Amino acid sequence: MSERTWQILVDAFPKLLEYGIKVTIPLTLLSFSLALLISVGVALIQYANVRVLRQICRFYIWIVRGTPLLVQLYLVFYGLPSVGILLDAYPTAVLVFGFNEGAYMAESMRGALESVSRGQTEAGYCVGLNYMQIMWHIVLPQAFRTAFPALSNSLISMVKGTSLAASITVMEMFREAQVINGRVYESLGLYTEVALIYLAFCTILTWLQHKGEKKLAGYGR
């Protein structure tokens, strides 16, 4: 590694890390929060087997899981303005990432809900709870425990997926690496550096995931 390359990487690291902490991580958390809300709502509708709403949810999952995330980003950011709907890049990224990951997480949540014995729902009715109370106090806590590994994997995957936001001009970590590379032409070093920062973020989340799984396993004993 030449002295020039080393100096470029040293100078770029604080900027890349700053964009990672100030943009990539918040973008991930906002998108994941939206995805979690969507997934729980969609999963509960399917679990309750509300016929018309269930078909709408299945259609949503089919469309989102059957089309590429990059295409979805382009459709919303570049396509919707042609029909008069204008969205800034950052809100577009949050919405698209949230709705995209929500479809995958909804299936994880649905499976987790169905793993809870129906007998517990009947027992809840017997002690005078209504449907929402049974869901909130009995079914959902157990479902979240079951779905925790899958939901954690979705969060880790989303950290990496946010790099696609660069394609619609969101100035997140990968986009900043592209901007710096446009000035210094050091592709191998800069993209390796940004990959290592993503790896560090995901490693921390993986460690937290394992800690969470152990804690939940302890509660289940």
Side-chain angles (χ1 to χ4, degrees):
M1 183 181 295
S2 68
E3 184 177 345
R4 174 184 176 274
T5 300
W6 177 253
Q7 190 59 49
I8 288 172
L9 297 183
V10 169
D11 292 341
F13 181 78
K15 297 177 183 177
L16 294 176
L17 186 60
E18 179 183 2
Y19 275 91
I21 294 173
K22 289 185 176 181
V23 183
T24 297
I25 295 301
L27 176 59
T28 300
L29 294 178
L30 287 172
S31 301
F32 182 79
S33 298
L34 176 60
L36 188 60
L37 289 173
I38 292 171
S39 66
V40 171
V42 170
L44 284 174
I45 289 170
Q46 294 186 89
Y47 182 77
N49 201 24
V50 182
R51 182 165 297 179
V52 176
L53 293 179
R54 186 177 187 277
Q55 292 304 317
I56 293 173
C57 289
R58 296 308 305 171
F59 181 77
Y60 153 69
I61 292 171
W62 172 62
I63 289 293
V64 171
R65 296 202 306 174
T67 55
L69 175 55
L70 184 60
V71 174
Q72 294 168 18
L73 281 168
Y74 272 56
L75 277 173
V76 175
F77 187 67
Y78 295 112
L80 290 186
S82 64
V83 293
I85 302 175
L86 300 174
L87 294 174
D88 290 335
Y90 194 91
T92 296
V94 171
L95 288 173
V96 173
F97 290 146
F99 275 86
N100 179 273
E101 197 61 42
Y104 292 91
M105 290 166 57
E107 291 297 88
S108 298
M109 281 301 303
R110 180 180 61 83
L113 287 170
E114 292 177 352
S115 71
V116 180
S117 171
R118 293 279 181 171
Q120 297 193 42
T121 302
E122 295 172 3
Y125 283 124
C126 289
V127 297
L129 299 178
N130 60 39
Y131 181 78
M132 292 305 300
Q133 289 173 325
I134 292 170
M135 289 296 107
W136 183 256
H137 295 290
I138 299 176
V139 178
L140 278 176
Q142 296 180 72
F144 272 115
R145 184 181 301 172
T146 302
F148 182 80
L151 298 181
S152 300
N153 287 337
S154 294
L155 176 60
I156 293 169
S157 177
M158 188 175 282
V159 172
K160 298 174 290 183
T162 55
S163 60
L164 288 175
S167 65
I168 59 170
T169 72
V170 175
M171 282 300 298
E172 45 74 65
M173 185 165 59
F174 182 65
R175 178 64 177 168
E176 176 64 11
Q178 291 179 314
V179 170
I180 296 172
N181 185 59
R183 295 197 304 264
V184 299
Y185 299 101
E186 191 59 54
S187 301
L188 179 60
L190 282 169
Y191 292 143
T192 299
E193 186 172 45
V194 78
L196 291 174
I197 297 175
Y198 277 114
L199 179 61
F201 287 163
C202 292
T203 300
I204 293 170
L205 289 175
T206 300
W207 178 79
L208 291 174
Q209 177 188 12
H210 291 160
K211 295 286 285 186
E213 288 177 2
K214 288 180 180 180
K215 191 171 183 178
L216 289 174
Y219 285 151
R221 292 173 184 172

